[in-house]
Amino acid sequence: RSEIIPLFWHISKSGGTTVEELCSRCFNLVKASGKSISTTGEIQHDDEDNGPVKVIFVYGLHKVNVDMSTIEGIARAKQQNLIQSSLAQIIFTPHIHESSTLFTSTTQKGQLFTVFRHPIHRAVSLFHYLQHASWEPTYNPKLKDMSIEDYAMSEEHVEEDWMVRKLVNKMEGPLMMEDLELAKEIVRTKCIVGLMDHMEESMRRFSQVFGWNNANPSSSQQQLLPSPSNTNDVNQEIQNLNVQTCMKNILEKGGENKFAHPTEMEGSMAWELLKLKNVWDMQLYEYVLFLFEEQAILFQ
């Protein structure tokens, strides 16, 4: 559905980078996202954030030269009429409220979708990742020598109910039950829900609702796939097979931006401390699990 622009809410360490890779490489979608980072952590700067919006080719993928990972970048994308340009086929951003303003002066609409992860697993993964990910804007060298228990008890470093706060646009101050209820209502009425623990099924749903099944793998991925005998008459069955092969290759290696780290057992000190910091997110996640099952009927 070309009049609908998919808007992916990127929740850190919840499979968002994998979704971005799948959409870019397997479905060959032109994206508007954050800064391009190579597998070695090198950040691409050339031609990004400069001049009028245009499609650039970075690390083998097509993207629009905007930075949707920052408030400033979103403001520039709005000023440069990103939506009206029709260049981006999909948008990835952690800032859903700010990104929604992109659609205020256009007839085109955005459709929110995302992948959720258990809040404690996400918090543990984020801690270990930010200890080492010096290329990330949120990297903090103070975390390098901290234990996860110290991190969980800190007021300065650890996230508190990030998902609910982002949904209701309330990053400071105490959260109340009405905030949780509003967050639930936003997800229920505005969002196509995916789960990191069910990535293949989530991608099936996303591709169905956005009509990605007719997409082709990018040229870089095509090199890894069998070439049809007649390239001028590639039938739909072959195209779908290539897309599925591409997705399988990425998912079988565990997705993108995967970072090996110790896990925390439920009931451990770190687990309980992090749960105290994510009381509302835990309740939201339980509701998301229900929604994932409820939305299944839409994709049968």
Side-chain angles (χ1 to χ4, degrees):
R1 293 159 49 193
S2 58
E3 73 276 12
I4 298 293
I5 298 179
L7 177 63
F8 184 83
W9 178 30
H10 194 145
I11 305 169
S12 58
K13 307 314 296 178
S14 298
T17 305
T18 297
V19 174
E20 186 172 334
E21 186 75 358
L22 289 166
C23 290
S24 299
R25 280 196 198 284
C26 303
F27 294 109
N28 202 22
L29 299 175
V30 178
K31 64 181 179 180
S33 60
K35 287 284 189 183
S36 303
I37 302 175
S38 73
T39 54
T40 59
E42 177 189 356
I43 301 176
Q44 172 75 24
H45 294 289
D46 297 342
D47 242 3
E48 292 198 58
D49 305 339
N50 296 318
V53 289
K54 61 183 177 181
V55 176
I56 59 177
F57 194 62
V58 184
Y59 298 127
L61 301 171
H62 291 96
K63 64 173 294 185
V64 182
N65 63 327
V66 294
D67 183 2
M68 298 300 296
S69 68
T70 68
I71 306 299
E72 297 77 15
I74 294 168
R76 175 181 169 271
K78 181 176 175 63
Q79 187 262 330
Q80 292 289 335
N81 296 317
L82 171 66
I83 302 301
Q84 292 87 336
S85 74
S86 298
L87 294 176
Q89 295 174 296
I90 188 168
I91 297 172
F92 293 88
T93 181
H95 306 294
I96 48 177
H97 285 278
E98 293 80 1
S99 295
S100 68
T101 66
L102 295 172
F103 299 91
T104 54
S105 302
T106 175
T107 57
Q108 286 184 287
K109 302 296 182 184
Q111 173 60 62
L112 187 65
F113 72 115
T114 192
V115 171
F116 288 92
R117 185 182 188 182
H118 189 288
I120 310 305
H121 294 312
R122 188 181 87 82
V124 171
S125 179
L126 183 63
F127 165 70
H128 288 290
Y129 180 67
L130 291 181
Q131 281 189 311
H132 303 279
S134 57
W135 56 88
E136 291 283 0
T138 48
Y139 170 72
N140 189 336
K142 293 180 181 178
L143 300 183
K144 195 168 183 64
D145 299 317
M146 288 182 72
S147 70
I148 191 166
E149 290 80 12
D150 289 338
Y151 171 75
M153 288 187 287
S154 70
E155 296 295 329
E156 178 185 358
H157 304 298
V158 70
E159 290 181 348
E160 288 192 52
D161 296 303
W162 187 90
M163 293 189 294
V164 170
R165 289 185 180 279
K166 270 293 185 181
L167 284 166
V168 302
N169 204 19
K170 186 178 179 180
M171 298 311 293
E172 297 181 354
L175 292 173
M176 306 296 181
M177 181 58 73
E178 52 262 37
D179 295 314
L180 174 64
E181 293 305 317
L182 176 57
K184 287 180 177 180
E185 185 66 6
I186 291 170
V187 174
R188 185 184 71 82
T189 59
K190 305 287 188 183
C191 189
I192 301 167
V193 169
L195 295 175
M196 184 173 170
D197 288 342
H198 298 279
M199 187 65 83
E200 190 171 346
E201 168 61 15
S202 299
M203 287 303 301
R204 186 189 71 81
R205 296 183 185 187
F206 299 156
S207 63
Q208 181 177 331
V209 76
F210 294 122
W212 295 338
N213 292 317
N214 296 329
N216 290 298
S218 61
S219 56
S220 59
Q221 186 65 26
Q222 283 279 22
Q223 297 173 8
L224 305 177
L225 301 173
S227 299
S229 55
N230 186 351
T231 56
N232 295 320
D233 186 27
V234 182
N235 61 45
Q236 192 62 52
E237 183 177 351
I238 292 294
Q239 290 184 26
N240 287 340
L241 178 62
N242 287 351
V243 168
Q244 292 304 314
T245 302
C246 174
M247 291 179 62
K248 183 179 179 182
N249 289 342
I250 292 173
L251 292 176
E252 281 190 349
K253 70 177 184 179
E256 294 299 310
N257 208 23
K258 186 178 180 181
F259 189 82
H261 60 80
T263 57
E264 292 298 325
M265 297 295 293
E266 185 170 356
S268 69
M269 180 184 292
W271 182 284
E272 295 302 321
L273 289 169
L274 288 168
K275 192 163 74 170
L276 289 174
K277 298 286 189 179
N278 292 278
V279 170
W280 300 108
D281 272 8
M282 289 289 287
Q283 294 180 70
L284 176 66
Y285 184 71
E286 289 300 317
Y287 183 67
V288 164
L289 294 178
F290 162 75
L291 275 183
F292 186 75
E293 295 301 322
E294 188 177 63
Q295 289 184 0
I297 193 171
L298 302 173
F299 302 97
Q300 291 178 350

